C-alpha cells in the first residue's frame, strides 16, 4: 500500500464563509454585469442609429454570459494551484488566501497587454473569423466555449488539475478540423499548424520546466540554507518563519497576477470576436484612434502598396484581393498573385481611411468589410515575414512591418470594460470550488506533507515561467507548471510520489487535447445545423 501523507498539520479547509463575503461576492458580480451592460449600450448609442434587430443583441448576451462563465470556471479550476502552497504551509488562512488570489487575478487581467488573446484567435480558421457574425461564426464561438467549460468542470469534479489553456487549444483545433472536413477539405488544412506548434511547445515544455527547475531550486536551497525547519512539514498550524512566509505570499501573489494576465486573455479574445460578430459598428474597428495617426496610416498604406509592386507585372484587382489573401493565409502557398493582392489591399485600406479621415466616421455598412480587409492584410503579412519563398527587399519588409502595426492597432484592441468583466469573472471564480484542486496539489502528489521550501520552490518557478510566457505572448498552463513543480520538489526531497495521482494527472494531460477536439468539433457540427 502506498504511504499516505501525514495530515496532523492539515489546514482547516471547511471554515464557513461569512455573510459579509457572500454579500461582497454578489455585489461584485452585479457590478460586473451592470458595467458590461452599460458599456455596451453606451458604445452602441455613440455610433448612432443602426437599424439592427434584437436577435444579434440576444445572441450577444448569451455568448457573453457563456464566455464569462468560462472565465469563472477557469478561476476556480486553475487558480487553486496558486493558493495550495500558502494554504498547506499555513502562510495564509484558506479563505483569506483565495480572496487574496482572486484580487491579484483581477489586477492581472486588467493590466494585461492582449498579446495572448490575439495569439489564441490566430489559431482559428480564417474564413470563420471573417464571417464571425454568421451562423457558422456563432457556432464556432459556442462550440469552443461550451467544450472548454464541460471538460474543465469534469476534471474539476474529479479533482484533477487539468489545463484550461490546453483545453482551449484543443477546442480550437477541433473546430478548425471539423470546419475543413465539412467543406470537403483535408482536416489538416483547417488550422494554422505553425501557430499550434508554437503554442504546443509552450504547453508541452512548461510542465517539464516546472518539474526540473523546481527540483533544482530546492536542491540549491538545501545547499545554501541550512535551517532544517524549512525542509520539514509544519508543526500543527504553526506558520513558517517570517521571511519564508513572505516569500510564499509573494510567489502566490505573483502566480495569481500572472495567471490573470495570461489565462484571462483567452476569454477576452473570444469576447472581442463575439462583439465584432454581433455589433461590428461599435467594435470592429478602434474608433478611438486619433486623427493625426490616420495621416500616418494613409501614408504607410500607400508606401506599402507601392513597394509591393516592384519587380512584378502581375495585377490583381481590389475586389479579387480578399480571396487571394484568404487562400494564402489558409494554405500558406505563395502564388504570384499574393504580393500584388496585398498591394491592392493596402491601397484600398488606405483610400478608405483617407476618404473619411478617422475610423469613427466610416459608414456603418463599410465597417465590417474594412475590418476584414485589415485582418486579412495583417495575417498575410505575418505569414510573409516567415515565408522563405517571399523575396522582399529591405524597404518592402520595413513598410510591411510598420503597416502591420498600424492595422493591428486599428483591429486588435480590447476595451477597458471587457478587461474589467473578465477580471471580475476570473477573480470571483477563484473564490468558489477551489478545495478539490487544492487538496490534490497539497496532499495527493507527494507521500509527505508539503514543506515550506518545497512550496517556495514550486511557486517561484511557476511565477517566473508564467510571467515570461506572458511577456512572449504565449499561453501556458498554470496548472501544469505548479503541479509538476510540486512533483519535482517531492522527488528532489526524496519524499516519494503517489503514482496513482501522477497517472491520473498524466492521463488528464494526454486526454485533454483529443477530448476537447472531439467535443468542440461535434458541437460545431451540431450548432451549424441549428443556426
Amino acid at each position: 500500500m502506498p504511504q499516505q501523507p501525514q495530515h496532523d498539520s492539515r489546514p482547516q479547509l471547511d471554515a464557513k464563509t461569512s455573510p459579509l463575503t457572500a454579500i461582497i461576492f454578489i455585489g461584485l458580480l452585479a457590478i460586473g454585469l451592470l458595467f458590461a451592460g452599460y458599456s455596451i449600450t453606451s458604445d452602441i448609442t455613440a455610433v448612432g442609429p443602426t437599424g439592427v434587430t434584437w436577435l444579434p443583441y440576444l445572441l450577444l448576451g448569451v455568448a457573453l454570459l457563456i464566455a464569462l462563465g468560462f472565465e469563472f470556471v477557469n478561476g476556480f479550476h486553475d487558480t487553486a494551484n496558486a493558493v495550495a502552497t500558502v494554504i498547506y504551509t499555513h502562510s495564509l488562512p484558506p479563505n483569506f488566501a483565495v480572496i487574496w488570489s482572486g484580487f491579484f487575478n483581477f489586477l492581472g487581467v486588467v493590466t494585461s497587454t492582449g498579446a495572448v488573446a490575439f495569439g489564441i484567435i490566430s489559431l482559428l480558421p480564417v474564413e470563420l473569423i471573417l464571417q464571425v457574425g454568421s451562423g457558422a461564426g456563432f457556432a464556432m464561438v459556442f462550440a469552443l466555449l461550451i467544450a472548454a467549460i464541460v471538460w474543465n468542470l469534469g476534471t474539476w469534479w474529479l479533482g484533477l488539475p487539468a489545463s484550461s489553456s490546453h483545453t482551449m487549444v484543443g477546442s480550437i483545433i477541433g473546430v478548425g478540423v471539423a470546419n475543413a472536413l465539412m467543406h470537403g477539405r483535408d482536416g489538416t488544412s483547417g488550422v494554422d499548424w505553425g501557430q499550434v506548434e508554437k503554442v504546443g511547445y509552450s504547453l508541452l515544455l512548461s510542465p517539464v520546466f516546472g518539474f526540473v527547475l523546481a527540483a533544482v531550486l530546492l536542491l540549491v536551497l538545501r545547499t545554501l540554507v541550512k535551517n532544517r525547519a524549512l525542509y520539514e512539514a509544519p508543526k500543527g498550524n504553526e506558520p513558517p518563519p517570517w521571511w519564508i512566509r513572505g516569500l510564499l505570499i509573494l510567489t502566490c501573489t505573483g502566480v495569481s497576477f500572472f495567471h490573470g494576465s495570461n489565462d484571462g486573455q483567452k476569454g477576452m479574445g473570444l469576447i472581442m470576436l463575439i462583439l465584432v460578430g454581433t455589433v461590428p459598428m461599435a467594435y470592429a474597428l478602434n474608433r478611438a484612434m486619433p486623427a493625426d495617426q490616420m495621416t500616418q496610416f494613409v501614408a504607410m498604406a500607400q508606401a506599402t502598396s507601392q513597394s509591393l509592386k516592384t519587380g512584378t507585372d502581375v495585377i490583381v484587382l481590389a475586389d479579387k484581393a480578399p480571396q487571394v489573401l484568404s487562400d494564402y493565409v489558409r494554405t500558406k502557398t505563395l502564388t504570384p498573385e499574393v504580393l500584388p493582392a496585398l498591394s491592392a489591399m493596402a491601397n484600398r485600406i488606405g483610400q478608405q481611411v483617407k476618404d473619411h479621415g478617422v475610423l469613427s466616421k466610416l459608414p456603418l455598412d463599410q465597417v465590417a468589410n474594412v475590418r476584414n480587409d485589415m485582418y486579412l492584410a495583417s495575417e498575410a503579412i505575418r505569414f510573409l515575414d516567415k515565408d522563405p519563398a517571399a523575396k522582399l527587399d529591405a524597404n518592402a519588409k520595413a513598410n510591411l512591418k510598420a503597416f502591420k502595426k498600424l492595422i493591428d492597432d486599428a483591429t486588435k484592441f480590447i476595451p477597458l470594460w471587457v478587461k474589467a468583466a473578465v477580471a471580475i469573472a476570473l477573480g470571483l471564480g477563484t473564490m468558489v470550488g477551489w478545495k478539490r484542486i487544492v487538496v490534490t496539489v497539497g496532499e495527493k502528489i507527494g507521500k509527505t506533507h508539503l514543506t515550506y521550501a518545497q512550496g517556495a520552490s514550486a511557486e517561484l518557478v511557476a511565477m517566473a515561467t508564467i510571467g515570461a510566457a506572458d511577456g512572449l505572448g504565449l499561453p501556458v498552463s498554470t496548472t501544469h507548471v505548479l503541479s509538476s513543480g510540486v512533483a519535482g520538489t517531492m522527488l528532489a526531497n526524496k519524499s516519494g510520489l503517489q503514482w496513482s495521482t501522477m497517472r491520473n494527472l498524466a492521463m488528464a494531460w494526454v486526454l485533454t487535447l483529443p477530448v476537447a477536439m472531439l467535443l468542440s468539433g461535434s458541437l460545431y457540427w451540431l450548432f451549424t445545423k441549428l443556426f
Side-chain angles (χ1 to χ4, degrees), residues 13 113 117 129 164 255 298 345 378 385 390 413 465 467 474 487 498 522:
L13 301 177
T113 63
I129 294 179
S164 295
V255 170
V298 172
M345 184 72 83
S378 176
D385 185 52
F413 66 100
T465 303
L474 294 173
Q498 296 195 57
S522 301

Side-chain angles (χ1 to χ4, degrees), residues 365-448:
D365 58 350
Q366 294 182 25
V367 168
N369 288 335
V370 173
R371 189 256 179 193
N372 284 349
D373 286 352
M374 290 183 178
Y375 176 81
L376 270 178
S378 176
E379 289 296 283
I381 294 170
R382 180 167 70 89
F383 288 115
L384 279 171
D385 185 52
K386 299 179 290 186
D387 196 331
K391 308 299 183 184
L392 298 170
D393 59 31
N395 181 54
K397 288 182 178 180
N399 286 339
L400 285 173
K401 182 178 180 180
F403 184 52
K404 183 179 188 303
K405 183 181 184 307
L406 288 169
I407 55 180
D408 284 350
D409 288 344
T411 57
K412 296 181 178 180
F413 66 100
I414 300 175
L416 177 61
W417 74 263
V418 173
K419 290 187 177 184
V422 170
I424 291 173
L426 190 67
L428 293 181
T430 304
M431 305 176 195
V432 176
W434 48 271
K435 294 178 187 176
R436 291 178 183 271
I437 306 297
V438 164
V439 170
T440 297
V441 175
E443 298 181 18
K444 297 182 179 180
I445 292 178
K447 292 183 177 180
T448 60

Side-chain angles (χ1 to χ4, degrees), residues 439-511:
V439 170
T440 297
V441 175
E443 298 181 18
K444 297 182 179 180
I445 292 178
K447 292 183 177 180
T448 60
H449 195 288
L450 192 72
T451 67
Y452 305 133
Q454 287 175 313
S457 299
E459 287 273 23
L460 268 173
V461 169
M463 182 178 71
T465 303
I466 300 165
D470 188 45
L472 295 172
L474 294 173
V476 296
S477 167
T478 303
T479 302
H480 287 164
V481 177
L482 198 284
S483 57
S484 63
V486 171
T489 63
M490 288 291 176
L491 193 64
N493 203 44
K494 298 181 180 179
S495 302
L497 296 171
Q498 296 195 57
W499 290 107
S500 59
T501 300
M502 298 306 295
R503 282 194 299 271
N504 289 338
L505 293 177
M507 185 177 297
W509 187 88
V510 170
L511 290 178

Side-chain angles (χ1 to χ4, degrees), residues 346-375:
N347 184 65
R348 182 164 79 172
I349 293 171
Q351 191 60 50
Q352 288 167 325
V353 174
K354 182 180 180 181
D355 290 344
H356 300 94
V358 289
L359 297 180
S360 59
K361 291 185 178 179
L362 279 167
L364 298 184
D365 58 350
Q366 294 182 25
V367 168
N369 288 335
V370 173
R371 189 256 179 193
N372 284 349
D373 286 352
M374 290 183 178
Y375 176 81

Side-chain angles (χ1 to χ4, degrees), residues 116 120 165 169 199 202-203 206 262-263 266 469 473-477:
V116 174
I120 285 288
S165 301
V169 171
V199 171
S202 71
L203 291 174
S206 53
N262 195 285
D263 275 42
K266 303 175 183 70
L474 294 173
V476 296
S477 167

